[in-house]
Amino acid sequence: RIEANHERDAQKLRVAAYCRVSSSSEDQLNSFAAQNIHYTQYITEHENWRLVDIYADEGITGTSVEKREDFKRMLADSGRGLIDRILVKSISRFARNTAECLEAIRQFRANGTTIFFEKENIDTARMSSELMTALHAAFSQSESESISGNMRWSYQRRMESGEFNTCKAPWGFRLDGRKL
């Protein structure tokens, strides 16, 4: 006869959240603060959940994991078995590179950590979620590339018309209104 192990049932689900904003603009910083507040309240409201941490990268692009220190810390904590579930606002907040997104999700899954993307309603605990995640990650990567291309185009057009304006004049120049 094997007795049931009620100890696991009594344990709370160890839940973390990941937040990221890509710039330091005031709107983005407000979004960053709102995400932190939302997840802290949301996780603590669940009786059977325990807040592990709010991992947050501020003013950093999602196109590469390299500069996202809290993302890497979250992955390491998952590898040490400290996190059961991660909540993320959307796939675009998690990653804007399809290959890195899927690689990270697979690493988290191998560590026993599932991820829930609120906006897309995708839970990596479900087997069918990888295809949907890949599609949304590809859309996020494409959107990032489009924004970057639009910014480069805008800079080029403004420079050609003599209107290019940065926050500081380059060495040897001065700003006169909107003209260098």
Side-chain angles (χ1 to χ4, degrees):
R1 178 173 175 200
I2 299 172
E3 294 294 326
N5 184 355
H6 296 288
E7 199 173 298
R8 178 73 180 150
D9 295 342
Q11 279 186 334
K12 291 185 175 189
L13 191 66
R14 298 165 300 175
V15 181
Y18 179 70
C19 308
R20 182 187 64 79
V21 293
S22 55
S23 75
S24 297
S25 73
E26 191 172 328
D27 286 345
Q28 290 285 299
L29 293 177
N30 288 337
S31 170
F32 185 71
Q35 287 179 61
N36 276 292
I37 292 166
H38 166 74
Y39 284 118
T40 300
Q41 289 176 341
Y42 185 70
I43 293 169
T44 55
E45 285 173 359
H46 286 80
E47 189 175 299
N48 59 337
W49 288 5
R50 181 175 62 82
L51 176 62
V52 174
D53 202 349
I54 304 290
Y55 299 87
D57 287 308
E58 182 180 346
I60 298 173
T61 181
T63 57
S64 174
V65 173
E66 285 306 308
K67 294 180 180 177
R68 296 192 292 155
E69 294 305 319
D70 252 21
F71 188 90
K72 292 189 289 189
R73 185 172 65 88
M74 180 175 65
L75 190 54
D77 286 353
S78 169
R80 289 196 309 266
L82 302 176
I83 307 170
D84 298 318
R85 186 164 185 74
I86 299 169
L87 306 176
V88 185
K89 180 180 175 183
S90 70
I91 291 174
S92 67
R93 299 295 90 205
F94 186 76
R96 283 193 177 263
N97 177 309
T98 307
E100 280 191 2
C101 179
L102 293 175
E103 181 182 329
I105 288 170
R106 289 175 185 151
Q107 267 186 288
F108 281 113
R109 186 181 296 152
N111 296 339
T113 303
T114 62
I115 305 166
F116 180 71
F117 300 102
E118 283 188 292
K119 179 180 175 190
E120 296 86 0
N121 194 28
I122 294 175
D123 187 347
T124 63
R126 288 184 257 146
M127 292 300 284
S128 63
S129 67
E130 190 163 320
L131 174 61
M132 291 306 296
T133 304
L135 288 172
H136 284 282
F139 293 142
S140 291
Q141 179 176 337
S142 178
E143 179 184 24
S144 178
E145 290 167 353
S146 175
I147 290 168
S148 180
N150 288 343
M151 293 299 290
R152 280 193 305 274
W153 180 86
S154 171
Y155 294 152
Q156 183 67 37
R157 295 300 163 262
R158 283 187 278 162
M159 283 190 280
E160 287 172 358
S161 68
E163 293 179 18
F164 185 71
N165 186 2
T166 61
C167 56
K168 286 185 178 178
W171 182 262
F173 290 84
R174 64 181 167 76
L175 282 174
D176 182 16
R178 292 188 52 106
K179 300 223 181 226
L180 280 175

